[in-house]
Amino acid sequence: MYTIKQASARSGVGIPLLRAWERRYGVVSPLRTPAGYRVYDEEAIDRLRAMRRLVESGWSPREAAPRVRAADAETVRALAVGPDAVSGGGVPTTDRSLVGRIADAAARLDQPELEAALDEAFSAARFEAASQRVVLPAMVEVGRAWSRGELGVGAEHAASAAVLRRLGAAFQAAASNGTGPTVLVGLPPGSQHELAALAFATIARRTGMDVIYLGSNVPLDSWLTVVEETDAAAAVLGAVMPGDADSVSAVLAALAEHRPDVIRAVGGPYAGEVRGEGHLVLPGDLSEGAALLGRSLRRRRRGRGGAR
């Protein structure tokens, strides 16, 4: 049996997010010690991993939770390895088709087909759905194909650049009126994979936040400087790759020391591995992450009596 801290470390799900999935979706039902502390068994760890994997692959938590709750132990173990290990629904056929088209066009360096598929994705659904259900999952497939040696670095970069242009245009189109709370979004030093971070920044901006997108590979000192210069209310970092957790931890620790009033948040597949306390761990669903951040900003504002 594992404590909630141990369950978080083993599953890769941050404690705040773990509690949210437990309370809101019933993904796990831990036992309680005589002292009232939660304890989790191996199956609970697998269910948390399965939920995390599904969300990372593009499912919303509302879709993933019933899948995990209904699955038997063997299926849960397979899902914990990765959602591709188990057949099943959850993503509409149209979305799956577009994911395949984008990944295939990227592999063939077919820019006209890639642009056409992106056009269709963003014209068929709101930005939130198109980016999370089609575009980002397609780029995950492109990354997997690159790691298997099925496409070259040039092809992967060309596809990423095409998607980055679309996300950048959407971010610009969602220009803030400057009346919302200032939120910084970016990646820590050394981190380059920025597509999900820019998608999150765009979604947050579309909710009314005054988002400043800092981009990839932002030095620690620059985070501190920009927070001061903008009087930001929140700083959001992405932990996208295995090595990002350490650099995110360092930035969050520095922010906590120099500007403890600023809300610190982290999202991404490795957010659960970030050290320290007092920061938000955002859910894998970018829209839900933006909503969680928005609620935290409103609580902060009320706590200050309505003054920035």
Side-chain angles (χ1 to χ4, degrees):
M1 304 297 283
Y2 304 97
T3 65
I4 191 169
K5 185 174 182 180
Q6 291 168 331
S8 172
R10 291 179 67 85
S11 66
V13 178
I15 291 176
L17 184 56
L18 191 161
R19 286 174 172 157
W21 285 353
E22 177 186 323
R23 180 179 65 255
R24 187 177 306 170
Y25 301 116
V27 173
V28 291
S29 298
L31 300 174
R32 296 274 184 169
T33 67
Y37 294 105
R38 294 175 174 87
V39 288
Y40 301 79
D41 59 15
E42 289 288 354
E43 184 176 342
I45 303 298
D46 282 342
R47 290 188 183 276
L48 290 168
R49 287 174 178 155
M51 181 77 170
R52 178 172 64 85
R53 294 284 190 180
L54 287 173
V55 169
E56 288 171 0
S57 70
W59 295 49
S60 74
R62 289 186 181 88
E63 295 168 333
R67 180 83 167 106
V68 173
R69 289 198 306 266
D72 58 26
E74 182 177 354
T75 302
V76 165
R77 282 193 294 273
L79 286 170
V81 173
D84 292 342
V86 179
S87 62
V91 179
T93 301
T94 303
D95 290 354
R96 291 199 300 271
S97 175
L98 281 169
V99 168
R101 279 180 61 192
I102 292 170
D104 182 62
R108 293 184 287 105
L109 267 175
D110 187 341
Q111 287 296 108
E113 171 62 10
L114 176 61
E115 297 288 352
L118 291 172
D119 281 342
E120 185 172 336
F122 283 113
S123 63
R126 287 171 55 85
F127 176 85
E128 290 78 3
S131 59
Q132 295 185 88
R133 300 182 69 100
V134 176
V135 178
L136 294 179
M139 294 310 296
V140 169
E141 291 302 316
V142 170
R144 289 172 177 168
W146 172 81
S147 68
R148 294 192 298 264
E150 297 171 3
L151 57 78
V153 172
E156 191 272 337
H157 283 191
S160 295
V163 171
L164 195 62
R165 290 193 296 272
R166 299 302 181 100
L167 297 179
F171 180 79
Q172 188 64 31
S176 171
N177 58 18
T179 61
T182 299
V183 175
L184 307 178
V185 178
L187 297 180
S191 183
Q192 302 288 349
H193 297 272
E194 64 176 309
L195 296 182
L198 181 51
F200 175 83
T202 303
I203 291 171
R205 205 179 223 197
R206 284 164 60 91
T207 70
M209 299 180 205
D210 186 11
V211 178
I212 298 175
Y213 181 63
L214 303 182
S216 62
N217 189 26
V218 181
L220 188 154
D221 288 346
S222 295
W223 278 101
L224 300 180
T225 299
V226 176
V227 164
E228 291 294 342
E229 291 177 345
T230 62
D231 191 26
V236 182
L237 290 89
V240 183
M241 302 298 289
D244 291 345
D246 287 342
S247 52
V248 170
S249 300
V251 173
L252 295 184
L255 287 171
E257 180 179 354
H258 292 276
R259 283 294 302 272
D261 58 313
V262 173
I263 293 172
R264 292 161 286 120
V266 58
Y270 295 91
E273 297 182 11
V274 172
R275 301 184 305 277
E277 298 179 350
H279 60 268
L280 292 176
V281 177
L282 301 178
D285 183 283
L286 302 184
S287 296
E288 293 199 2
L292 174 60
L293 179 62
R295 290 193 296 271
S296 297
L297 288 165
R298 289 191 292 274
R299 286 195 297 269
R300 175 186 184 272
R301 189 175 182 86
R302 287 196 298 269
R304 289 188 161 195
R308 275 287 305 272

